[in-house]
Amino acid sequence: DKTLTDFPITLTATTSASLAVTYTATPTNKVAINGSQITLVKSGKVTITASQAGNASIDAAPSIDQSFCIKPLKPVITVSNASALTPTYTSGVADGNQWYLNGALLTGITSQFLIVSQPGTYKVQVTIDNCTSAFSADQVFVITGDIASNISDIELYPNPIINLFTVSFGDIEGRKEVTLYHSTGQQLTVQEVWNREAHFNLGDYPKGIYYAKVLAGGSMKVIKFEK
């Protein structure tokens, strides 16, 4: 296998009849052929066929195929809305993307664009014709403080915590949802409540930085806390 940026390749097929060998490619748009030299043009699977036509006294030789991958370039992630709660990550390659979070495949997340809402380490890999690129560099998303919109009554206490803590919703009515994350992006638990408080116990988890994402009153607040 080769990578799209590799130098041109010199082909070295020979025949027992010592006649000239010619080369063709299938599909024709992935490499450029000049005599016995091929230049890589496009990512994906390609088959090079070596042929000897024969002459008046020597029969044509059976053609020989050699297939290989032209691996896509290592994708580069760019970030837009970096200061927002949900930034957008964009792969530098338009097609064939697969996104990962904390090393785990994000099933069905194959667009060039990814709207990020969960802390953790993201990366992307590109596959074309079953030919796979190297992983992009890691892109780490960390929420560094409290982000809120019209829900300033929501509080988490104590902070830092020991094991037990409470999320208070003040006077907000209706359904509320609290999701807890470790700073690595691992989701720990989700609790749906209708009253004014939610109670949690992180006794089984190690010391570190955690986040509580609260959905209430049609808005979201993310609270950083420490154990």
Side-chain angles (χ1 to χ4, degrees), residues 129-140:
D129 299 339
N130 292 320
C131 302
T132 303
S133 74
F135 280 106
S136 69
D138 289 346
Q139 186 69 47
V140 180

Side-chain angles (χ1 to χ4, degrees), residues 53-64:
N55 58 25
S57 58
I58 298 177
D59 290 337
S63 295
I64 296 294

Side-chain angles (χ1 to χ4, degrees), residues 33-180:
I33 299 179
N34 182 15
S36 62
Q37 188 175 78
I38 61 172
T39 301
L40 309 180
V41 174
K42 191 175 181 180
S43 301
K45 199 83 168 181
V46 65
T47 299
I48 304 297
T49 301
S51 303
Q52 176 221 285
N55 58 25
S57 58
I58 298 177
D59 290 337
S63 295
I64 296 294
D65 293 336
Q66 177 66 58
S67 298
F68 63 96
C69 272
I70 303 172
K71 296 186 289 185
L73 298 178
K74 178 180 177 178
V76 175
I77 298 174
T78 57
V79 183
S80 55
N81 299 320
S83 61
L85 185 60
T86 54
T88 298
Y89 291 172
T90 301
S91 168
V93 181
D95 301 309
N97 294 284
Q98 174 60 64
W99 292 89
Y100 292 75
L101 172 58
N102 298 325
L105 183 147
L106 292 170
T107 303
I109 309 302
T110 57
S111 170
Q112 184 181 9
F113 308 98
L114 176 67
I115 297 176
V116 179
S117 60
Q118 181 175 334
T121 300
Y122 291 82
K123 60 185 176 182
V124 66
Q125 188 177 51
V126 175
T127 300
I128 298 175
D129 299 339
N130 292 320
C131 302
T132 303
S133 74
F135 280 106
S136 69
D138 289 346
Q139 186 69 47
V140 180
F141 175 50
V142 176
I143 299 171
T144 57
D146 298 350
I147 304 171
S149 175
N150 301 322
I151 47 175
S152 57
D153 289 344
I154 295 177
E155 297 180 346
L156 184 152
Y157 59 87
N159 188 6
I161 71 168
I162 298 175
N163 292 315
L164 303 174
F165 67 95
T166 297
V167 177
S168 172
F169 306 106
D171 294 329
I172 297 175
E173 301 290 342
R175 175 186 176 275
K176 278 80 70 173
E177 181 181 286
V178 182
T179 307
L180 301 184

